[in-house]
mmCIF file of all heavy atoms in Angstrom:
data_model
loop_
_atom_site.group_PDB
_atom_site.id
_atom_site.type_symbol
_atom_site.label_atom_id
_atom_site.label_comp_id
_atom_site.label_asym_id
_atom_site.label_seq_id
_atom_site.Cartn_x
_atom_site.Cartn_y
_atom_site.Cartn_z
ATOM 1 N N LEU A 1 100.657 157.530 -58.819
ATOM 2 C CA LEU A 1 99.960 158.494 -57.974
ATOM 3 C C LEU A 1 98.488 158.133 -57.823
ATOM 4 O O LEU A 1 97.937 158.123 -56.703
ATOM 5 C CB LEU A 1 100.108 159.894 -58.567
ATOM 6 C CG LEU A 1 99.522 161.056 -57.765
ATOM 7 C CD1 LEU A 1 100.241 161.208 -56.434
ATOM 8 C CD2 LEU A 1 99.626 162.355 -58.567
ATOM 9 N N VAL A 2 97.832 157.821 -58.937
ATOM 10 C CA VAL A 2 96.409 157.488 -58.899
ATOM 11 C C VAL A 2 96.176 156.192 -58.137
ATOM 12 O O VAL A 2 95.225 156.080 -57.350
ATOM 13 C CB VAL A 2 95.833 157.418 -60.328
ATOM 14 C CG1 VAL A 2 94.449 156.772 -60.341
ATOM 15 C CG2 VAL A 2 95.772 158.812 -60.945
ATOM 16 N N ARG A 3 97.015 155.203 -58.341
ATOM 17 C CA ARG A 3 96.863 153.937 -57.606
ATOM 18 C C ARG A 3 96.911 154.182 -56.097
ATOM 19 O O ARG A 3 96.108 153.630 -55.332
ATOM 20 C CB ARG A 3 97.967 152.959 -57.997
ATOM 21 C CG ARG A 3 97.864 151.599 -57.297
ATOM 22 C CD ARG A 3 99.157 150.822 -57.405
ATOM 23 N NE ARG A 3 100.269 151.540 -56.774
ATOM 24 C CZ ARG A 3 101.543 151.176 -56.881
ATOM 25 N NH1 ARG A 3 101.874 150.130 -57.616
ATOM 26 N NH2 ARG A 3 102.487 151.869 -56.270
ATOM 27 N N ASN A 4 97.849 155.038 -55.666
ATOM 28 C CA ASN A 4 98.025 155.254 -54.237
ATOM 29 C C ASN A 4 96.917 156.101 -53.611
ATOM 30 O O ASN A 4 96.660 155.986 -52.418
ATOM 31 C CB ASN A 4 99.387 155.911 -53.971
ATOM 32 C CG ASN A 4 100.557 154.949 -54.194
ATOM 33 O OD1 ASN A 4 100.349 153.761 -54.421
ATOM 34 N ND2 ASN A 4 101.762 155.462 -54.127
ATOM 35 N N ARG A 5 96.251 156.931 -54.413
ATOM 36 C CA ARG A 5 95.224 157.796 -53.846
ATOM 37 C C ARG A 5 93.802 157.308 -54.113
ATOM 38 O O ARG A 5 92.840 157.851 -53.569
ATOM 39 C CB ARG A 5 95.377 159.226 -54.352
ATOM 40 C CG ARG A 5 95.131 159.423 -55.839
ATOM 41 C CD ARG A 5 95.192 160.904 -56.215
ATOM 42 N NE ARG A 5 94.062 161.641 -55.660
ATOM 43 C CZ ARG A 5 93.958 162.965 -55.686
ATOM 44 N NH1 ARG A 5 94.927 163.693 -56.215
ATOM 45 N NH2 ARG A 5 92.887 163.565 -55.179
ATOM 46 N N ALA A 6 93.651 156.266 -54.962
ATOM 47 C CA ALA A 6 92.307 155.848 -55.400
ATOM 48 C C ALA A 6 91.434 155.419 -54.231
ATOM 49 O O ALA A 6 90.238 155.753 -54.184
ATOM 50 C CB ALA A 6 92.415 154.732 -56.425
ATOM 51 N N ALA A 7 91.998 154.685 -53.283
ATOM 52 C CA ALA A 7 91.182 154.192 -52.169
ATOM 53 C C ALA A 7 90.585 155.353 -51.384
ATOM 54 O O ALA A 7 89.445 155.277 -50.899
ATOM 55 C CB ALA A 7 92.032 153.307 -51.257
ATOM 56 N N MET A 8 91.330 156.448 -51.274
ATOM 57 C CA MET A 8 90.830 157.618 -50.565
ATOM 58 C C MET A 8 89.777 158.346 -51.400
ATOM 59 O O MET A 8 88.772 158.827 -50.875
ATOM 60 C CB MET A 8 91.997 158.558 -50.256
ATOM 61 C CG MET A 8 91.604 159.860 -49.577
ATOM 62 S SD MET A 8 93.047 160.913 -49.262
ATOM 63 C CE MET A 8 93.557 161.299 -50.959
ATOM 64 N N ASP A 9 89.997 158.416 -52.722
ATOM 65 C CA ASP A 9 89.093 159.166 -53.587
ATOM 66 C C ASP A 9 87.777 158.448 -53.838
ATOM 67 O O ASP A 9 86.728 159.082 -53.956
ATOM 68 C CB ASP A 9 89.757 159.443 -54.936
ATOM 69 C CG ASP A 9 90.890 160.453 -54.849
ATOM 70 O OD1 ASP A 9 90.939 161.201 -53.858
ATOM 71 O OD2 ASP A 9 91.720 160.489 -55.772
ATOM 72 N N ASN A 10 87.833 157.127 -53.989
ATOM 73 C CA ASN A 10 86.654 156.410 -54.470
ATOM 74 C C ASN A 10 86.430 155.049 -53.835
ATOM 75 O O ASN A 10 85.582 154.293 -54.283
ATOM 76 C CB ASN A 10 86.749 156.243 -55.993
ATOM 77 C CG ASN A 10 88.124 155.753 -56.425
ATOM 78 O OD1 ASN A 10 88.621 154.758 -55.918
ATOM 79 N ND2 ASN A 10 88.759 156.477 -57.350
ATOM 80 N N LYS A 11 87.223 154.725 -52.816
ATOM 81 C CA LYS A 11 87.084 153.449 -52.081
ATOM 82 C C LYS A 11 87.358 152.224 -52.955
ATOM 83 O O LYS A 11 86.973 151.110 -52.610
ATOM 84 C CB LYS A 11 85.684 153.328 -51.460
ATOM 85 C CG LYS A 11 85.272 154.496 -50.578
ATOM 86 C CD LYS A 11 86.187 154.647 -49.375
ATOM 87 C CE LYS A 11 85.693 155.708 -48.391
ATOM 88 N NZ LYS A 11 85.854 157.084 -48.915
ATOM 89 N N ILE A 12 88.025 152.435 -54.096
ATOM 90 C CA ILE A 12 88.394 151.300 -54.942
ATOM 91 C C ILE A 12 89.842 150.932 -54.632
ATOM 92 O O ILE A 12 90.746 151.728 -54.870
ATOM 93 C CB ILE A 12 88.250 151.624 -56.445
ATOM 94 C CG1 ILE A 12 86.832 152.072 -56.766
ATOM 95 C CG2 ILE A 12 88.619 150.406 -57.289
ATOM 96 C CD1 ILE A 12 86.646 152.545 -58.201
ATOM 97 N N HIS A 13 90.059 149.762 -54.086
ATOM 98 C CA HIS A 13 91.408 149.318 -53.795
ATOM 99 C C HIS A 13 91.976 148.604 -55.023
ATOM 100 O O HIS A 13 91.321 147.765 -55.624
ATOM 101 C CB HIS A 13 91.417 148.376 -52.579
ATOM 102 C CG HIS A 13 91.046 149.077 -51.306
ATOM 103 N ND1 HIS A 13 91.967 149.727 -50.520
ATOM 104 C CD2 HIS A 13 89.833 149.240 -50.711
ATOM 105 C CE1 HIS A 13 91.342 150.262 -49.473
ATOM 106 N NE2 HIS A 13 90.050 149.981 -49.569
ATOM 107 N N ASP A 14 93.184 148.948 -55.383
ATOM 108 C CA ASP A 14 93.860 148.385 -56.554
ATOM 109 C C ASP A 14 92.978 148.487 -57.805
ATOM 110 O O ASP A 14 92.612 147.477 -58.414
ATOM 111 C CB ASP A 14 94.256 146.925 -56.295
ATOM 112 C CG ASP A 14 95.249 146.407 -57.334
ATOM 113 O OD1 ASP A 14 95.965 147.234 -57.937
ATOM 114 O OD2 ASP A 14 95.287 145.184 -57.557
ATOM 115 N N PRO A 15 92.624 149.705 -58.211
ATOM 116 C CA PRO A 15 91.727 149.869 -59.361
ATOM 117 C C PRO A 15 92.411 149.507 -60.679
ATOM 118 O O PRO A 15 93.640 149.561 -60.794
ATOM 119 C CB PRO A 15 91.416 151.372 -59.327
ATOM 120 C CG PRO A 15 92.652 151.979 -58.734
ATOM 121 C CD PRO A 15 93.128 150.987 -57.696
ATOM 122 N N ALA A 16 91.608 149.146 -61.660
ATOM 123 C CA ALA A 16 92.105 149.014 -63.032
ATOM 124 C C ALA A 16 92.237 150.428 -63.583
ATOM 125 O O ALA A 16 91.242 151.139 -63.752
ATOM 126 C CB ALA A 16 91.142 148.195 -63.871
ATOM 127 N N ILE A 17 93.480 150.858 -63.823
ATOM 128 C CA ILE A 17 93.731 152.217 -64.294
ATOM 129 C C ILE A 17 93.714 152.218 -65.823
ATOM 130 O O ILE A 17 94.507 151.517 -66.459
ATOM 131 C CB ILE A 17 95.069 152.742 -63.759
ATOM 132 C CG1 ILE A 17 95.020 152.838 -62.227
ATOM 133 C CG2 ILE A 17 95.407 154.101 -64.368
ATOM 134 C CD1 ILE A 17 96.355 153.179 -61.591
ATOM 135 N N ILE A 18 92.800 153.000 -66.375
ATOM 136 C CA ILE A 18 92.654 153.085 -67.831
ATOM 137 C C ILE A 18 93.160 154.446 -68.279
ATOM 138 O O ILE A 18 92.646 155.486 -67.840
ATOM 139 C CB ILE A 18 91.185 152.912 -68.258
ATOM 140 C CG1 ILE A 18 90.546 151.692 -67.576
ATOM 141 C CG2 ILE A 18 91.094 152.807 -69.784
ATOM 142 C CD1 ILE A 18 91.264 150.383 -67.801
ATOM 143 N N MET A 19 94.176 154.465 -69.130
ATOM 144 C CA MET A 19 94.718 155.703 -69.676
ATOM 145 C C MET A 19 93.956 156.052 -70.959
ATOM 146 O O MET A 19 93.939 155.250 -71.907
ATOM 147 C CB MET A 19 96.202 155.554 -69.979
ATOM 148 C CG MET A 19 97.063 155.393 -68.739
ATOM 149 S SD MET A 19 97.170 156.946 -67.842
ATOM 150 C CE MET A 19 98.218 156.489 -66.455
ATOM 151 N N VAL A 20 93.336 157.214 -70.967
ATOM 152 C CA VAL A 20 92.527 157.646 -72.112
ATOM 153 C C VAL A 20 93.348 158.686 -72.875
ATOM 154 O O VAL A 20 93.600 159.782 -72.365
ATOM 155 C CB VAL A 20 91.179 158.211 -71.655
ATOM 156 C CG1 VAL A 20 90.286 158.491 -72.867
ATOM 157 C CG2 VAL A 20 90.487 157.243 -70.691
ATOM 158 N N VAL A 21 93.754 158.339 -74.097
ATOM 159 C CA VAL A 21 94.812 159.073 -74.777
ATOM 160 C C VAL A 21 94.320 159.678 -76.099
ATOM 161 O O VAL A 21 94.018 158.941 -77.045
ATOM 162 C CB VAL A 21 96.015 158.156 -75.077
ATOM 163 C CG1 VAL A 21 97.190 158.980 -75.591
ATOM 164 C CG2 VAL A 21 96.421 157.353 -73.842
ATOM 165 N N PRO A 22 94.230 161.026 -76.198
ATOM 166 C CA PRO A 22 93.993 161.637 -77.510
ATOM 167 C C PRO A 22 95.110 161.224 -78.458
ATOM 168 O O PRO A 22 96.287 161.349 -78.130
ATOM 169 C CB PRO A 22 94.047 163.145 -77.203
ATOM 170 C CG PRO A 22 93.792 163.257 -75.731
ATOM 171 C CD PRO A 22 94.391 162.022 -75.136
ATOM 172 N N SER A 23 94.743 160.719 -79.645
ATOM 173 C CA SER A 23 95.738 160.030 -80.479
ATOM 174 C C SER A 23 95.665 160.480 -81.928
ATOM 175 O O SER A 23 94.599 160.468 -82.542
ATOM 176 C CB SER A 23 95.516 158.512 -80.407
ATOM 177 O OG SER A 23 95.608 158.057 -79.068
ATOM 178 N N GLY A 24 96.821 160.879 -82.471
ATOM 179 C CA GLY A 24 96.918 161.266 -83.873
ATOM 180 C C GLY A 24 98.002 160.468 -84.566
ATOM 181 O O GLY A 24 97.733 159.544 -85.333
ATOM 182 N N ASN A 25 99.265 160.807 -84.266
ATOM 183 C CA ASN A 25 100.393 160.059 -84.817
ATOM 184 C C ASN A 25 100.741 158.837 -83.962
ATOM 185 O O ASN A 25 101.622 158.067 -84.294
ATOM 186 C CB ASN A 25 101.620 160.976 -84.944
ATOM 187 C CG ASN A 25 102.470 160.650 -86.139
ATOM 188 O OD1 ASN A 25 102.030 160.005 -87.086
ATOM 189 N ND2 ASN A 25 103.720 161.091 -86.118
ATOM 190 N N PHE A 26 100.061 158.687 -82.833
ATOM 191 C CA PHE A 26 100.133 157.553 -81.910
ATOM 192 C C PHE A 26 101.479 157.412 -81.204
ATOM 193 O O PHE A 26 101.779 156.367 -80.632
ATOM 194 C CB PHE A 26 99.722 156.252 -82.598
ATOM 195 C CG PHE A 26 98.223 156.074 -82.593
ATOM 196 C CD1 PHE A 26 97.425 156.794 -83.459
ATOM 197 C CD2 PHE A 26 97.609 155.221 -81.696
ATOM 198 C CE1 PHE A 26 96.035 156.682 -83.435
ATOM 199 C CE2 PHE A 26 96.232 155.086 -81.658
ATOM 200 C CZ PHE A 26 95.439 155.821 -82.538
ATOM 201 N N GLY A 27 102.284 158.497 -81.189
ATOM 202 C CA GLY A 27 103.493 158.466 -80.394
ATOM 203 C C GLY A 27 103.185 158.486 -78.913
ATOM 204 O O GLY A 27 103.794 157.753 -78.123
ATOM 205 N N ASN A 28 102.215 159.314 -78.491
ATOM 206 C CA ASN A 28 101.887 159.426 -77.080
ATOM 207 C C ASN A 28 101.387 158.096 -76.524
ATOM 208 O O ASN A 28 101.801 157.657 -75.449
ATOM 209 C CB ASN A 28 100.839 160.525 -76.872
ATOM 210 C CG ASN A 28 100.821 161.065 -75.454
ATOM 211 O OD1 ASN A 28 101.600 160.663 -74.601
ATOM 212 N ND2 ASN A 28 99.920 161.991 -75.199
ATOM 213 N N LEU A 29 100.508 157.444 -77.270
ATOM 214 C CA LEU A 29 99.997 156.172 -76.784
ATOM 215 C C LEU A 29 101.095 155.110 -76.760
ATOM 216 O O LEU A 29 101.154 154.278 -75.841
ATOM 217 C CB LEU A 29 98.811 155.710 -77.632
ATOM 218 C CG LEU A 29 97.886 154.706 -76.924
ATOM 219 C CD1 LEU A 29 96.456 154.848 -77.424
ATOM 220 C CD2 LEU A 29 98.345 153.275 -77.106
ATOM 221 N N THR A 30 101.984 155.138 -77.733
ATOM 222 C CA THR A 30 103.111 154.198 -77.730
ATOM 223 C C THR A 30 103.981 154.412 -76.496
ATOM 224 O O THR A 30 104.488 153.447 -75.894
ATOM 225 C CB THR A 30 103.948 154.347 -79.011
ATOM 226 O OG1 THR A 30 103.093 154.181 -80.153
ATOM 227 C CG2 THR A 30 105.053 153.312 -79.074
ATOM 228 N N SER A 31 104.152 155.661 -76.084
ATOM 229 C CA SER A 31 104.890 155.943 -74.851
ATOM 230 C C SER A 31 104.199 155.314 -73.649
ATOM 231 O O SER A 31 104.849 154.821 -72.723
ATOM 232 C CB SER A 31 105.022 157.451 -74.650
ATOM 233 O OG SER A 31 105.752 158.049 -75.689
ATOM 234 N N GLY A 32 102.871 155.336 -73.645
ATOM 235 C CA GLY A 32 102.128 154.683 -72.575
ATOM 236 C C GLY A 32 102.359 153.187 -72.547
ATOM 237 O O GLY A 32 102.471 152.571 -71.479
ATOM 238 N N LEU A 33 102.450 152.588 -73.719
ATOM 239 C CA LEU A 33 102.749 151.155 -73.795
ATOM 240 C C LEU A 33 104.119 150.845 -73.204
ATOM 241 O O LEU A 33 104.304 149.838 -72.521
ATOM 242 C CB LEU A 33 102.676 150.692 -75.252
ATOM 243 C CG LEU A 33 101.303 150.758 -75.921
ATOM 244 C CD1 LEU A 33 101.429 150.518 -77.423
ATOM 245 C CD2 LEU A 33 100.347 149.745 -75.304
ATOM 246 N N ILE A 34 105.089 151.727 -73.466
ATOM 247 C CA ILE A 34 106.424 151.545 -72.906
ATOM 248 C C ILE A 34 106.365 151.592 -71.379
ATOM 249 O O ILE A 34 106.974 150.756 -70.687
ATOM 250 C CB ILE A 34 107.393 152.605 -73.460
ATOM 251 C CG1 ILE A 34 107.634 152.371 -74.952
ATOM 252 C CG2 ILE A 34 108.722 152.599 -72.695
ATOM 253 C CD1 ILE A 34 108.384 153.486 -75.650
ATOM 254 N N ALA A 35 105.621 152.572 -70.831
ATOM 255 C CA ALA A 35 105.486 152.663 -69.372
ATOM 256 C C ALA A 35 104.854 151.404 -68.800
ATOM 257 O O ALA A 35 105.295 150.883 -67.759
ATOM 258 C CB ALA A 35 104.654 153.894 -69.008
ATOM 259 N N LYS A 36 103.841 150.884 -69.460
ATOM 260 C CA LYS A 36 103.189 149.647 -68.993
ATOM 261 C C LYS A 36 104.171 148.479 -69.019
ATOM 262 O O LYS A 36 104.233 147.676 -68.077
ATOM 263 C CB LYS A 36 101.967 149.349 -69.863
ATOM 264 C CG LYS A 36 101.125 148.169 -69.392
ATOM 265 C CD LYS A 36 99.851 148.068 -70.220
ATOM 266 C CE LYS A 36 98.909 147.011 -69.651
ATOM 267 N NZ LYS A 36 99.390 145.634 -69.883
ATOM 268 N N GLU A 37 104.953 148.391 -70.082
ATOM 269 C CA GLU A 37 105.947 147.319 -70.174
ATOM 270 C C GLU A 37 106.983 147.429 -69.051
ATOM 271 O O GLU A 37 107.524 146.425 -68.594
ATOM 272 C CB GLU A 37 106.648 147.362 -71.538
ATOM 273 C CG GLU A 37 105.783 146.963 -72.718
ATOM 274 C CD GLU A 37 105.436 145.486 -72.715
ATOM 275 O OE1 GLU A 37 106.218 144.682 -72.172
ATOM 276 O OE2 GLU A 37 104.361 145.134 -73.233
ATOM 277 N N MET A 38 107.256 148.650 -68.587
ATOM 278 C CA MET A 38 108.258 148.864 -67.540
ATOM 279 C C MET A 38 107.679 148.725 -66.133
ATOM 280 O O MET A 38 108.393 148.934 -65.144
ATOM 281 C CB MET A 38 108.901 150.238 -67.709
ATOM 282 C CG MET A 38 109.707 150.380 -68.995
ATOM 283 S SD MET A 38 110.621 151.939 -69.072
ATOM 284 C CE MET A 38 111.933 151.638 -67.874
ATOM 285 N N GLY A 39 106.404 148.369 -66.032
ATOM 286 C CA GLY A 39 105.835 148.069 -64.731
ATOM 287 C C GLY A 39 104.785 149.024 -64.230
ATOM 288 O O GLY A 39 104.284 148.859 -63.110
ATOM 289 N N ALA A 40 104.423 150.042 -65.004
ATOM 290 C CA ALA A 40 103.376 150.964 -64.561
ATOM 291 C C ALA A 40 102.068 150.196 -64.368
ATOM 292 O O ALA A 40 101.706 149.355 -65.197
ATOM 293 C CB ALA A 40 103.173 152.081 -65.586
ATOM 294 N N PRO A 41 101.355 150.454 -63.258
ATOM 295 C CA PRO A 41 100.104 149.719 -62.997
ATOM 296 C C PRO A 41 98.953 150.237 -63.866
ATOM 297 O O PRO A 41 97.994 150.834 -63.389
ATOM 298 C CB PRO A 41 99.863 149.995 -61.509
ATOM 299 C CG PRO A 41 100.489 151.331 -61.269
ATOM 300 C CD PRO A 41 101.702 151.374 -62.165
ATOM 301 N N ILE A 42 99.081 149.985 -65.160
ATOM 302 C CA ILE A 42 98.086 150.409 -66.146
ATOM 303 C C ILE A 42 97.387 149.168 -66.681
ATOM 304 O O ILE A 42 98.047 148.239 -67.164
ATOM 305 C CB ILE A 42 98.754 151.186 -67.301
ATOM 306 C CG1 ILE A 42 99.404 152.477 -66.784
ATOM 307 C CG2 ILE A 42 97.743 151.493 -68.402
ATOM 308 C CD1 ILE A 42 100.275 153.183 -67.824
ATOM 309 N N ALA A 43 96.056 149.140 -66.585
ATOM 310 C CA ALA A 43 95.308 147.979 -67.078
ATOM 311 C C ALA A 43 95.125 148.031 -68.584
ATOM 312 O O ALA A 43 95.085 146.986 -69.254
ATOM 313 C CB ALA A 43 93.942 147.915 -66.389
ATOM 314 N N GLY A 44 94.996 149.246 -69.136
ATOM 315 C CA GLY A 44 94.779 149.346 -70.570
ATOM 316 C C GLY A 44 94.620 150.783 -71.015
ATOM 317 O O GLY A 44 94.820 151.722 -70.234
ATOM 318 N N PHE A 45 94.241 150.936 -72.274
ATOM 319 C CA PHE A 45 94.225 152.248 -72.919
ATOM 320 C C PHE A 45 92.952 152.430 -73.736
ATOM 321 O O PHE A 45 92.389 151.462 -74.258
ATOM 322 C CB PHE A 45 95.430 152.393 -73.857
ATOM 323 C CG PHE A 45 96.764 152.235 -73.181
ATOM 324 C CD1 PHE A 45 97.322 150.980 -72.993
ATOM 325 C CD2 PHE A 45 97.445 153.346 -72.713
ATOM 326 C CE1 PHE A 45 98.546 150.834 -72.360
ATOM 327 C CE2 PHE A 45 98.670 153.210 -72.079
ATOM 328 C CZ PHE A 45 99.221 151.957 -71.899
ATOM 329 N N VAL A 46 92.554 153.691 -73.854
ATOM 330 C CA VAL A 46 91.540 154.072 -74.833
ATOM 331 C C VAL A 46 92.212 154.995 -75.838
ATOM 332 O O VAL A 46 92.743 156.043 -75.469
ATOM 333 C CB VAL A 46 90.350 154.804 -74.179
ATOM 334 C CG1 VAL A 46 89.328 155.188 -75.257
ATOM 335 C CG2 VAL A 46 89.704 153.950 -73.104
#
């Protein structure tokens, strides 16, 4: 969703999408890694 709307929101075409993840047991961030492995256009994580 963010990739498709970024050019309209901020004029950045094909932005590096950074997922910023509150992390405790690190399950949520691990889920993000799975999405990235499956092709999600995610450049990285905080």
Side-chain angles (χ1 to χ4, degrees):
L1 184 64
V2 167
R3 181 196 61 190
N4 288 353
R5 66 175 291 171
M8 177 180 66
D9 290 341
N10 47 52
K11 306 298 187 288
I12 303 174
H13 293 273
D14 194 24
I17 296 173
I18 312 304
M19 292 288 180
V20 187
V21 189
S23 302
N25 214 19
F26 276 76
N28 202 2
L29 202 150
T30 304
S31 298
L33 295 169
I34 292 170
K36 186 173 187 288
E37 290 291 332
M38 295 187 73
I42 297 171
F45 301 85
V46 180

